[in-house]
Amino acid sequence: MSTDTADAAWRRRALVPVLVYLIAVMAVISSLGSPLIPTIAAADHVPLSEAQWSLTITLLVGAVATPTMGRLGDGPLRRPLILLALSIVLVGSVLAALPFGFGPLVTGRALQGVGLGLSPLTIATAQDSLPAERSRSTIALLSITTVAGVGLGYPSTGLITEGFGYHAGFWFGALFSGVALVSAAFVVPRTRHLASRPFDVVGAVLIGAVLAGLLLVLSEGESWGWTSPALLGLFVASLACLAVWIVYELRIGQPLVDLRKLRNRVVLTADAIGLVAGIGMYLLLSLVTRLAQSPTGADHGFGVSVVVTGLILLPFSAGSLLASRAIPLVADRLSWRLTLPLSCVVILGSMLLFSLSRSGLWELFLVMGVAGLGVGCVFALVPGLIVSSVAAREVGSAMGFNQVLRYVGFSTGSALSATVLESHTMAGHVLPDPSGYGAAAILGSVICAIAAVVAVVLPGRRRSEPGVPATAEGTPAALQAQRQDPESPTPAKADQVCG
C-alpha cells in the first residue's frame, strides 16, 4: 500500500470521530455560560441580568451565523469555513479566558457563538463523505451530540471553576477548540468538486435581524418587563422583518433558506418537532437546575453546588446517547411515523414525572434520564428525515434552518421557565413558591402533548409506493442515488408525503 493510499485510509477512519469531537466541543463551549452566570456576576461586579449576556450573546451569534454557514457550506467553501469558524472560536475562548473584565468576556463569548453554526456543516460532510448506511448512524450521532454535550459540559465546568476560578473554564474551552482546529485541518475533506452558487446577502441580513430581535425578546423579557414598550416594539419590528424575509425568500431563485421545501410535509414535521422539542428540553433543564441549586430552606430546593447540578444532567446525556444507538434498531422495525410521536410521549412522561415527584434528589436524576431518552430519540430521527427529503446540495442549508429553530426553541423554553417561576414569586421574595415548578411542568407537558399530536397529524396520510421499503431515515439505496444525482431529492419513500 502506497503512502498516499494509507494516508487516505487513515483520514477516512478518523473522519467520524473528528466530526463528533467538533460537535462535542461546541456543545461544551456553549454550555460554559449558563452555570457560570452567578460566578461571573460576583467576580466582575455586574448584576445577574448583565451577566446573563455571557450566555445570551453566544446564542444570538450562533442563531444568526447558522443559516449563513449552512448555505455557504453547501458548496466548495465547506472545509475553509469549518477551519475559519474553529479559528474564531479559539480566539474567542482565549479572549474570554483572559482577565480583562466583563466587556472582553462578552466579546469572546460572541466569537464562540460562531461555532454553533458548525452542526449543519458536519452533517453535510458526513452525508457527502461516508457510505450511505454509515452516514445514517453518523448523522443521528452528530445530532445527539449537540444535546448530550450540554450535560457533559455542566459538571466539567463546575469542577474546573471550583478548583481554579471561572476563567479556567474558558482556558479549558480554548484547549479543546485548539485540538478541534488541528484535527479538522488534517481530516475534514475538501469539497472543491461542489458547485458554488450565488449567496443571498439580503436574506442573510433579514433573517439575522429577525433572529436577533426575537432572541433578545425571549432572553431579556424578564429583565425589561414583558409589557415594556421597548420589548413590544422590538417584537413587532422582528415580526415585520420576518414577514418581509418570507416574501423575499419565496420570490428569488437562490434563497438562503428554500422555504418551498416546507411544502414537503416530512421536512415541515421535522422542523416543527425540532422547535417544540427544543422548547420542552430547555424548559425542563432550566427548572431542574434552578430547583437543584435553590437553598434548602425554601421548602423545595436542594442547595447543591454547580458540580452536583452538572452531575444531575449526566443521565440526560447518557439517555440521549443510548437513544441514538437504539434508534437505528427501532427504525428498522417501526416507521418514523410511530417512533417520532412515541418519543414526544417519553418527553411528556419526564415532564409529568417532574410535576408529581421532586421531593428527593434521586428523582431529579430519574427525570433527566427519562428526558434524555425522549429528546435523544427525537433529535436522532429529525436529521435523517431532512437529509432523505432534500437534494444533496441543500442538506447544509436545510439542517442550518432546523438548527436555528432549535436555538429559538431553547431560548423560548428558558424564557418560559423564568416567566412562570417569576409569576409564582410573591412580592418581596427572591424564591418562587414551590407550586411554580409544578405549574411550569404542566405547561411543559402541554407543549410535549402538542408535539406528539403534530407528529401524528402533520405528515398527512401515508401513501404506499411498491418496491420502496420504509425506514426512519431513508434507504441506503435512496441515499446513494441522491449522492449520484445531487440535484434531485431522495427518491420517494413509502412513508414520505410531499405537501
Side-chain angles (χ1 to χ4, degrees), residues 59-69 204 207-209 211-212 215 256 404 407:
L59 291 175
L60 275 174
V61 174
V64 172
T66 296
T68 298
M69 292 174 62
I207 191 61
L211 293 171
L215 288 178
L256 180 73
V404 167
Y407 294 148

Side-chain angles (χ1 to χ4, degrees), residues 457-473:
V457 175
L458 191 57
R461 183 173 59 86
R462 179 171 179 165
R463 298 175 185 174
S464 60
E465 298 182 14
V468 184
T471 69
E473 297 170 332

